[in-house]
């Protein structure tokens, strides 16, 4: 997009949601069609791919096909293989596009393991058992293990000295995989520069606060469930439509119904359901653009916001 928008700087935070992320990909594809591009894209876990493709202007080109491929592979392969194969396929275009001087800032949230005992557990044979327990803890609100052993670490393609870890072409693939590694189903350990990491969703499944901190004026947070949109699995902080977060006006886009009703759950989905979920996202993205014309640039623009 060229020119300066009246709204100033725009940030987009895309929530995790595994296969339900097809909805958010649809929203991002609609934004591309309308020339709504952000200065900052924030992603976590499964949204790393769709958000990254949006940041390089390729969300529409990929479309729902990625999700169809992932869902089909999930039926016959382990989730680690599905994600690693996806990174192998789409990594080149992301590594080439995200680090251009003209590209928007790209944030990738991860969960860093903060001590040696937890690292041994998360990277070893006990990881699956721990992962199942952490999922059960979601229903009780017990965040004790997470608080004691994990920390949110957000990699940025624009990080300078003292501003947190820098995302680079060299560590992008490792960070993208680490961000997705749910312990109950991912067999391959995740490391970045020799340190243990796990899925971002345990501590930061929607990095809205981190995007807001980049000095944006408008923050668009995209969820994949009709329920309140929270920062993490344990509902530690709600991201509220119409609120102001660190000076940014927040707009939340999410489906009106549970995508499970369409045949799309977190770890399994039908082809028809994915098509419907992606289509709902497209519709929602276009409705948002209709109501926020001042955020849009030339139709079909693939240029990143300045």
């Amino acid at each position: 997009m060229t020119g300066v928008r009246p709204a100033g700087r725009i940030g987009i935070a895309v929530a995790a949601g595994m296969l339900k992320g097809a909805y958010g990909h649809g929203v991002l594809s609609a934004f591309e069609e309308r020339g709504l591009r952000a200065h900052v894209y924030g992603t976590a876990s499964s949204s790393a791919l769709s958000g990254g493709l949006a940041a390089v202007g390729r969300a529409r080109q990929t479309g729902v096909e990625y999700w169809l491929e992932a869902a089909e592979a999930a039926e016959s392969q382990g989730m680690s293989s599905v994600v690693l194969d996806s990174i192998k396929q789409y990594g080149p275009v992301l590594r080439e596009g995200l680090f251009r001087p003209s590209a928007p800032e790209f944030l990738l949230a991860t969960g860093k393991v903060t001590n040696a005992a937890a690292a041994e557990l998360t990277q070893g044979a006990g990881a699956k058992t721990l992962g199942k327990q952490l999922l059960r803890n979601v229903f009780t609100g017990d965040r004790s293990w997470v608080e004691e052993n994990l920390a949110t670490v957000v990699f940025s393609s624009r990080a300078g000295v003292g501003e947190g870890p820098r995302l680079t072409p060299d560590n992008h693939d490792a960070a993208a995989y680490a961000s997705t590694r749910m312990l109950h189903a991912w067999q391959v350990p995740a490391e970045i520069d020799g340190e243990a990491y796990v899925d971002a969703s345990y501590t930061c499944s929607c990095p809205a606060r981190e995007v807001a901190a980049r000095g944006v004026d408008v923050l668009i947070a995209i969820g994949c469930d009709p329920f309140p949109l929270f920062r993490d699995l344990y509902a530690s902080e709600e991201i509220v439509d119409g609120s102001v977060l660190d000076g940014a006006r927040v707009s939340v886009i999410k489906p009106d119904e549970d995508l499970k009703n369409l045949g799309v759950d977190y770890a399994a989905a039908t082809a028809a359901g994915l098509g419907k979920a992606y289509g709902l996202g497209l519709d929602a993205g276009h409705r948002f653009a209709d109501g926020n014309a001042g955020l849009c640039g030339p139709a079909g623009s693939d240029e990143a916001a300045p």
Side-chain angles (χ1 to χ4, degrees):
M1 182 184 303
T2 59
V4 178
R5 304 180 184 88
R9 285 171 54 82
I10 297 173
I12 296 177
V14 192
M18 296 179 68
L19 293 175
K20 288 187 174 184
Y23 172 86
H25 197 141
V27 175
L28 294 169
S29 295
F31 284 178
E32 279 189 15
E33 293 176 8
R34 303 296 290 274
L36 197 167
R37 303 295 306 285
H39 299 77
V40 184
Y41 287 84
T43 67
S45 191
S46 60
S47 70
L49 178 81
S50 56
L53 290 169
V56 302
R58 295 295 181 268
R60 291 175 301 163
Q61 178 179 313
T62 306
V64 74
E65 293 303 318
Y66 162 72
W67 303 96
L68 293 170
E69 294 168 1
E72 182 178 1
E75 295 181 359
S76 58
Q77 305 175 28
M79 289 304 299
S80 289
S81 295
V82 171
V83 174
L84 288 169
D85 286 348
S86 296
I87 292 171
K88 183 178 181 180
Q89 181 177 356
Y90 295 100
V93 69
L94 295 175
R95 293 192 303 271
E96 191 276 332
L98 289 174
F99 305 101
R100 291 178 177 178
S102 61
E105 183 175 10
F106 180 72
L107 307 181
L108 178 58
T110 63
K112 185 176 182 179
V113 184
T114 57
N115 61 78
E120 182 177 359
L121 180 58
T122 59
Q123 308 303 296
K128 187 172 183 179
T129 299
L130 172 62
K132 290 180 178 179
Q133 182 59 57
L134 293 178
L135 288 181
R136 288 193 290 269
N137 290 350
V138 170
F139 299 100
T140 64
D142 180 4
R143 299 182 73 250
S144 57
W145 193 92
V146 168
E147 291 174 348
E148 293 168 6
N149 297 286
L150 301 179
T152 299
V153 172
V154 180
F155 288 77
S156 168
S157 62
R158 296 279 184 86
V161 177
E163 295 180 342
R166 182 76 177 255
L167 189 69
T168 70
D170 291 333
N171 66 20
H172 170 271
D173 290 3
Y177 175 72
S179 184
T180 72
R181 198 206 167 201
M182 292 295 288
L183 294 170
H184 69 286
W186 273 244
Q187 298 300 317
V188 178
E191 292 186 348
I192 306 173
D193 296 328
E195 297 187 280
Y197 284 78
V198 297
D199 193 291
S201 298
Y202 297 114
T203 62
C204 181
S205 57
C206 186
R209 183 168 290 281
E210 285 75 11
V211 172
R214 264 54 184 187
V216 301
D217 302 291
V218 175
L219 171 60
I220 304 167
I222 304 172
C224 62
D225 283 305
F227 322 116
L229 178 59
F230 291 106
R231 175 175 172 80
D232 56 41
L233 284 176
Y234 301 93
S236 64
E237 177 185 1
E238 185 177 355
I239 301 163
V240 181
D241 184 61
S243 65
V244 176
L245 184 60
D246 203 6
R249 176 169 54 84
V250 178
S251 293
V252 174
I253 301 175
K254 59 185 180 180
D256 294 328
E257 63 175 309
D258 193 338
L259 300 179
K260 188 175 181 179
N261 298 333
L262 304 179
V264 181
D265 208 347
Y266 297 108
T270 65
L274 286 167
K276 292 177 182 177
Y278 180 79
L280 286 178
L282 278 173
D283 291 343
H286 282 298
R287 287 197 304 272
F288 182 87
D290 288 340
N292 295 272
L295 304 182
C296 300
S301 171
D302 283 337
E303 293 298 321

